[in-house]
Amino acid sequence: MADHHRGVMGGGLGDRGQGQEKQPFIMTALKAATAATAGGSMLVLSGLILAGTVIALTVATPVLVIFSPVLVPAAIALALMAAGFVTSGGLGVAALSVFSWMYKYLTGKHPPGADQLDSAKQRLASKARDIKEAAQHRIDLQAQAS
C-alpha cells in the first residue's frame, strides 16, 4: 500500500517515468510540426504578397507617369492643407487653454503658475518704482545744477 501511494504521489519510477520520457518527444514533434506549418504558410503568403505588389507596380507605373503632372501638385496641395489644418487646430487648442487659464486666474481660482506670475509682477513693479525714483533724483539734481 505504501508503494501504491508513492506511485500516485510521484515518488516511484513505475510506468509514469516512461510516460514522462515519451511526452516531451511527442510535444517537441508537435511543436516542430506546428512551427513548420505556420512558417511555411507565412512564407507562401509573403511570396503571394510580393508577387501581387510587383504586378500592381507594373500595372500602376504607366498610369502614375501619365498622371504625375496632376498628381504631384495635388499631393503637395493636400500635404499643405493637412499641415494648415493641423497647425490651426493646435493653435486653437493652445488659445483655448490660455483663455481658460486667464479666466481661472482672474476669477481667483489660482491656476498652476499663478505664483510665478504674481512674483514677476511684484519684481516688475519694484523695478519700475526704482527707475522712477532714480529718474526723479536725476531731474532734481539737474534742476539744482541750473
Side-chain angles (χ1 to χ4, degrees):
M1 187 151 190
D3 290 336
H4 175 66
H5 286 296
R6 261 190 281 164
V8 171
M9 299 301 285
L13 294 176
D15 58 351
R16 193 160 188 223
Q18 293 173 352
Q20 286 178 348
E21 290 175 9
K22 287 184 180 180
Q23 190 173 3
F25 175 73
I26 292 171
M27 289 302 288
T28 304
L30 186 61
K31 287 178 185 178
T34 304
T37 304
S41 63
M42 296 285 185
L43 187 63
V44 168
L45 283 174
S46 67
L48 288 173
I49 290 172
L50 178 65
T53 303
V54 169
I55 291 170
L57 278 174
T58 304
V59 170
T61 300
V63 175
L64 289 174
V65 168
I66 291 169
F67 290 110
S68 66
V70 175
L71 293 177
V72 171
I76 292 171
L78 285 175
L80 287 174
M81 286 192 304
F85 281 123
V86 168
T87 303
S88 172
L91 291 174
V93 168
L96 285 176
S97 65
V98 167
F99 284 135
S100 171
W101 188 92
M102 287 172 49
Y103 176 76
K104 289 178 186 176
Y105 181 75
L106 293 174
T107 56
K109 293 184 181 171
H110 199 72
D115 294 335
Q116 293 175 344
L117 183 64
D118 291 337
S119 67
K121 191 185 333 179
Q122 289 173 356
R123 283 188 308 219
L124 189 60
S126 172
K127 194 58 82 171
R129 198 174 321 109
D130 292 344
I131 291 172
K132 180 183 174 184
E133 290 173 1
Q136 188 66 37
H137 182 68
R138 284 187 185 177
I139 290 172
D140 292 342
L141 286 177
Q142 286 178 353
Q144 288 177 359
S146 315

